[in-house]
Amino acid sequence: MSDSQVVSNQVVVHGAAEGAHHEHLPYQRHHFETYAQQSDATNFAMWLFLLTEIMFFGGLFTAYLIYRNWYYPAFVEASHQLQIFWGTANTAVLITSSFTMAMGVWSAEMKKKGALVLCLVITFILGIVFLGIKTIEYSEKIEKHHVPGFHYSMQSFLNPQSDPEVYKEYKDKPLPYDMARHTEIYFFLYFAMTGMHALHMIIGIAILGFMIFRARAGAYTTGHVTFVENFGLYWHFVDIIWIYLFPLLYLISRHQ
Amino acid sequence: MSHISPVLWQFLVKWLTNFSLYPPQASKIAPQMDALYFFMVLVSLIGLTIVILLITAFSIMYRQKKHPVPVQIEGSTMLEATWTIIPLGLFLIMFVWGALIYFRVYTPPANAMNIYVVGKQWMWKAEHPGGQHEINSLHIPTGRAVQLTLISQDVFHSFSIPAFRVKREAIPGRYTTVWFEATTPGTYHLFCTQYCGTDHSHMIGDIVVMTPDDFKRWLAGSTSGASLAQNGERLFASLSCSACHNARPDARGPNLANVYGSKLALSNGQSQLADEAFIRDAILNPSQHVTQGYAPIMPTYQGQISEDGVIALVEYIKQLNSDYRIQQTTTTTTLLPESEGKATPAGQKPAGQGMVKQ
Amino acid sequence: MSKEKGLLSWLLTGDHKRIAMLYLISITFFFFIGGALAGLIRLELLTPQSDLMATDTYNKVFSMHGIIMIFFFLVPSVPATIGNFVIPIMVGAKDLALPKVNLLSWYLYVAAGILGLYAMMTGGVDTGWTFTTPLSTHYLNTNVVTTGLAIFIAGFSSIFTGLNFIVTIHKMRCPGMTWFRLPLFVWSNYAASILMVLGTPVLAITLVLVVLERVAGIGVFDPAKGGDPLLFQHLFWFYSHPAVYIMILPGMGVISETVSTFSRKRVFGYTAVAFSSVAIAVFGFFVWAHHMFIMGISNYSMLVFSLLTMLVAVPSAIKIFNWAFTLYKGSITFETPMLYSFGFMGLFTIGGLTGVFLASSGTDIHLTETYFIVAHFHFVMVGGMLMAFLAGVHFWWPKMTGRMYPEKISQLAALITFIGFNFTFFPQFILGTLGMPRRYATYPPEFQVLNVFSTAGATILGVGYLLPILYLTWSLKYGEIAGDNPWQATGLEWQIQSPPLTENFPSIPIMDHEAYDYEWLEGQKEKVASVG
């Protein structure tokens, strides 16, 4: 990406009166000199925005790292409450949706309207599936009183045998009371991190809905692909956050 | 000075002698810190003077009327180097000097007398080992190193004695320490300097520094009867700590005599120094401080015991150098019902092992 | 400026210059609310007892003074008003890269401000601007959540401004505008924008955690549940330290412009000043725990943070000397922006040097949490930043409005401000050294004399700040018409009309000379004379 754009199609003299009005594409905003500059700038802006998102999630990741280090047994046992099946399913769903999104970007670049709409719709559906799986997981947590706050229950950790499905697989030892308390922090971080992630998914899905509508009208297949490309970046980013969350919350130290 | 009215002169003298730019120096570290402070004031004055002189001189010499044609100068690497290196050098001196003082203030000597201070909204409670309790005041002797072990019962507070130049945050959940040695008898301000709510500005008190004899007399006159350790012993029994920590061969908990100050081998393989913070944590979060060779069965006392109670227990355990009195009480204390008839957990070693003395 | 009239054309504008004016009006509004609260503080502190208001009320007053001044005035002050107006012109562009995002950033600011005012009027908040836990999460009954949300939203306003600046500076420089031909104002705002973009999200997540802890009681900062209140401190200061550089860097940028213009000389050591701005931004991220020296961090942490803090002080010193030497062999006049700039240089030097007192951990033990800290940050923020803001507003006023402000009264106001400021805040250094704690509604009687001095100064300072509002508003209608370049300055913004056209330039310029090139300016004048 070059930093300083040279006006390609004519020489402009400083201070000269209005010269020949240069042709520009209908979707080029007037304050940009060329479409290439516009596309470059908006792309860069999206990368910067994603950097701010990394800093935003960073606080939660820091808290997770610190508390996991301090309360390791609680975190290990609490993580047994998450089902790898659903986590893996969600990961597969998201990675596929990133693939379909990338295909959508390609379709827009190739000006294939039908393919673009199809890809966006599949991505949309996969996003909804992700949220659906998350709903299943969250409702299970709510039932078992694992939501931090006033109704939180440590029974599954003080007495693992009271939770037969999880006990069958992991045969956890009962945690002492003061360590069992810290499972609430694990679940708080679980809900905060996946919840913040889900919020970003919801925003993404809403924008996808808008995009499907506009794509059907042909807005993205005339050569103006920046919106789709930049949204693709956002979608991939949300996917990557999940790819960090999945091992940290579901996978590590499973079988200690 | 006969032409100055005597009244005005008196006022002037009084004002000048009472008006100070810094607090009295009442501790050993105070003059040391003031020396650094005055060095910084000097450096700042010189720096400020240089800047002001430059600006003033250049403004006068090169004002438009006098110097209508400016000379375009790009810069001077020499000058850049000078005003980078000299400030950096001075700042580094201040860094090292300040760090030395900081280390001194927060590294108590081994023979320091320890006083516990509990901060809560909106008062300070000081607890001397001999059982003397004070609210919003602290009596200490001159010529003796005094360490304060601070903790808060609720929010962040900060224990500040400007005359000693010391200050330390009192935090909920863990002990913090600071030490000083008072040099001049007198009464000095005690402030809470961390905003803690409605009556933050009323959380103030007096530090009363006395000669050692006066202090001894004060101690004798203010005791409530039981020392902290004695209170701790009572708590130890009433909370049934001796059910496990009883120095018997089949005891479920390690022997606590002489444990303070020793290096303990923990069940997770690490070795940790058993200081006040460790003992407090072991009472409140026992499962993370299991001594090697013992099972993690100690219940937590979080919520069942106040910070004052923990302090009493800590003091008691600090002073414990024999199991005689514990064993006396175990014959009269009923063991917990669920402990009757249980098999001894596997891997348990007799009391006394698992502790590595320093 | 846009030729369209009507309220809607302003409220839906994409023109960076109009957005800058919208911001100017809104931050001035908040400045006066924050200033009124400051007046209340100083009035209360006239006497040792808490007799003007209950301590609870006093706690709310100083908390809201801090929150409003920092988040609703200082952070957006130069970037969102002056920066928005001149940065696109300085790089030779027709607007910022993302005009709609710019407008969104103003609406977010207004929404945040309304929410904050609502919180203030329905009970206020008394956490202090630092929201220390567990006080703010468990021990107060005031509008912590609403205020936290307001600051959260204001944070996004700040992020979007910074993001816009970075993209514009990278991608929209006109032909010939290399990085080292940019005015130093652009460099300073670029550095501040990096901090805005990278630091503010951490504040956002910290506020989310505080709100969740209050609302759901989850215990992330609560020691009784295994949480750590010190974690909050680290997260909070990770943003709030860079925040002070967000606040001061744009002001330093203004000073580069004014000192150069009113000496008619290029800035001495351009490269050094440019790199110093970036160095302050980078180092600024690594010093946060110097706010926590007495909180129980380890001695070794202290060493690291104290050393880094000493390092971050050096670039500021470099800048002060470079500005002083810009005067050398210049041709100096003393219009109002220059007077404010001199005030900045002296007062920021004092403020910065007293920062070194605090960076040295030994003296910090005695001085932290006292009025020394209050004096230190007011010297850098008010003596420094606010003076720079006023310098900038006066400097670019002719460009923004097409009118000159009245010179004599503005010079008087600058002098009044300088005198009032010193009377208000210098005694506070002494109070701090004597041990007077901050955030105290009542204090021991021996501190009264200095407090009275300070309040007297505040009265003078208030007059100094009221005057500009009056005469600047007056000048909109009655001020002398300013030409394109009343200061004979070299920047691109001075080569176009006042106020500029909507698209700034009739056609994109080509930059063929260095920054602060007064010889080029002379050449331009000769060219015009020969043509005319």
Side-chain angles (χ1 to χ4, degrees), chain C residues 167-249:
Chain C
V167 178
T168 308
I169 297 169
H170 270 278
K171 298 294 177 187
M172 293 180 70
R173 283 169 290 125
C174 63
M177 182 67 84
T178 61
W179 279 89
F180 289 101
R181 285 180 175 174
L182 286 168
L184 288 166
F185 182 78
V186 177
W187 276 95
S188 298
N189 277 277
Y190 179 74
S193 300
I194 294 177
L195 292 168
M196 277 191 243
V197 159
L198 293 181
T200 319
V202 179
L203 177 73
I205 195 68
T206 310
L207 289 170
V208 166
L209 289 176
V210 168
V211 166
L212 283 178
E213 174 118 355
R214 250 188 106 76
V215 161
I218 30 77
V220 68
F221 301 130
D222 184 1
K225 293 191 171 179
D228 188 13
L230 236 52
L231 176 64
F232 170 82
Q233 293 291 315
H234 282 288
L235 286 173
F236 178 81
W237 288 113
F238 188 83
Y239 163 74
S240 300
H241 188 81
V244 316
Y245 298 121
I246 292 175
M247 294 188 265
I248 197 68
L249 276 168

Side-chain angles (χ1 to χ4, degrees), chain A residues 186-205:
Chain A
Y186 173 87
F187 282 107
F188 165 66
L189 286 166
Y190 168 78
F191 279 105
M193 290 160 90
T194 57
M196 199 49 83
H197 177 261
L199 181 64
H200 283 77
M201 286 288 296
I202 294 174
I203 294 173
I205 291 172

Side-chain angles (χ1 to χ4, degrees), chain B residues 67 80 102 167 189 193 195, chain C residues 126 293 322 330 368-369 433 446:
Chain B
H67 194 257
E80 298 289 350
Y102 183 95
K167 189 183 279 132
H189 283 301
T193 55
Y195 174 62
Chain C
D126 57 349
F293 280 153
N322 274 302
T368 193
E369 295 173 350
T433 309
E446 65 258 36

Side-chain angles (χ1 to χ4, degrees), chain A residues 212-231:
Chain A
I212 291 171
F213 183 66
R214 296 282 295 141
R216 291 184 68 211
Y220 306 125
T221 35
T222 56
H224 179 48
V225 297
T226 42
F227 197 91
V228 182
E229 279 179 348
N230 290 336
F231 178 80

Side-chain angles (χ1 to χ4, degrees), chain A:
Chain A
M1 287 187 279
S2 60
D3 272 2
S4 115
Q5 295 292 330
V6 180
V7 177
S8 57
N9 48 2
Q10 61 171 286
V11 174
V12 182
V13 178
H14 174 64
E18 282 286 323
H21 175 72
H22 52 268
E23 289 295 314
H24 63 82
L25 301 157
Y27 42 80
Q28 179 185 326
R29 299 292 315 285
H30 207 108
H31 56 285
F32 288 109
E33 281 310 291
T34 63
Y35 180 69
Q37 187 187 42
Q38 174 176 329
S39 160
D40 203 12
T42 47
N43 193 38
F44 183 62
M46 181 49 85
W47 278 104
L48 259 184
F49 176 69
L50 296 180
L51 189 57
T52 70
E53 293 277 36
I54 293 176
M55 297 306 290
F56 186 66
F57 276 92
L60 289 175
F61 278 97
T62 309
Y64 182 82
L65 277 170
I66 293 175
Y67 286 130
R68 187 185 174 84
N69 193 32
W70 285 355
Y71 305 133
Y72 187 74
F75 273 50
V76 169
E77 259 188 59
S79 71
H80 294 166
Q81 290 292 325
L82 304 183
Q83 291 171 286
I84 293 207
F85 174 74
W86 291 124
T88 315
N90 259 344
T91 309
V93 163
L94 267 189
I95 294 184
T96 313
S97 78
S98 264
F99 173 69
T100 55
M101 188 64 220
M103 290 308 295
V105 173
W106 178 81
S107 310
E109 284 164 1
M110 295 296 122
K111 305 203 179 152
K112 291 179 193 284
K113 188 171 95 163
L116 171 64
V117 175
L118 181 64
C119 288
L120 290 179
V121 168
I122 299 180
T123 311
F124 184 90
I125 292 176
L126 288 173
I128 303 270
V129 168
F130 176 91
L131 289 178
I133 296 178
K134 270 254 101 22
T135 315
I136 296 175
E137 288 186 282
Y138 276 16
S139 50
E140 191 209 356
K141 301 274 170 315
I142 295 174
E143 260 173 47
K144 282 183 160 183
H145 293 288
H146 286 152
V147 177
F150 306 115
H151 299 291
Y152 186 75
S153 156
M154 289 184 252
Q155 265 311 103
S156 325
F157 311 106
L158 292 171
N159 182 16
Q161 292 177 324
S162 64
D163 194 344
E165 302 138 11
V166 174
Y167 185 68
K168 205 168 45 173
E169 201 176 336
Y170 297 101
K171 305 266 191 299
D172 285 320
K173 293 212 193 57
L175 285 177
Y177 184 84
D178 59 298
M179 183 52 80
R181 272 186 308 157
H182 300 316
T183 53
E184 192 173 0
I185 293 203
Y186 173 87
F187 282 107
F188 165 66
L189 286 166
Y190 168 78
F191 279 105
M193 290 160 90
T194 57
M196 199 49 83
H197 177 261
L199 181 64
H200 283 77
M201 286 288 296
I202 294 174
I203 294 173
I205 291 172
I207 299 180
L208 261 173
F210 166 77
M211 279 171 62
I212 291 171
F213 183 66
R214 296 282 295 141
R216 291 184 68 211
Y220 306 125
T221 35
T222 56
H224 179 48
V225 297
T226 42
F227 197 91
V228 182
E229 279 179 348
N230 290 336
F231 178 80
L233 280 178
Y234 175 80
W235 193 258
H236 297 317
F237 171 78
V238 178
D239 185 12
I240 288 180
I241 291 284
W242 175 260
I243 290 178
Y244 273 89
L245 290 184
F246 177 55
L248 282 180
L249 292 171
Y250 289 77
L251 295 182
I252 57 178
S253 313
R254 268 271 132 164
H255 297 285
Q256 288 281 329

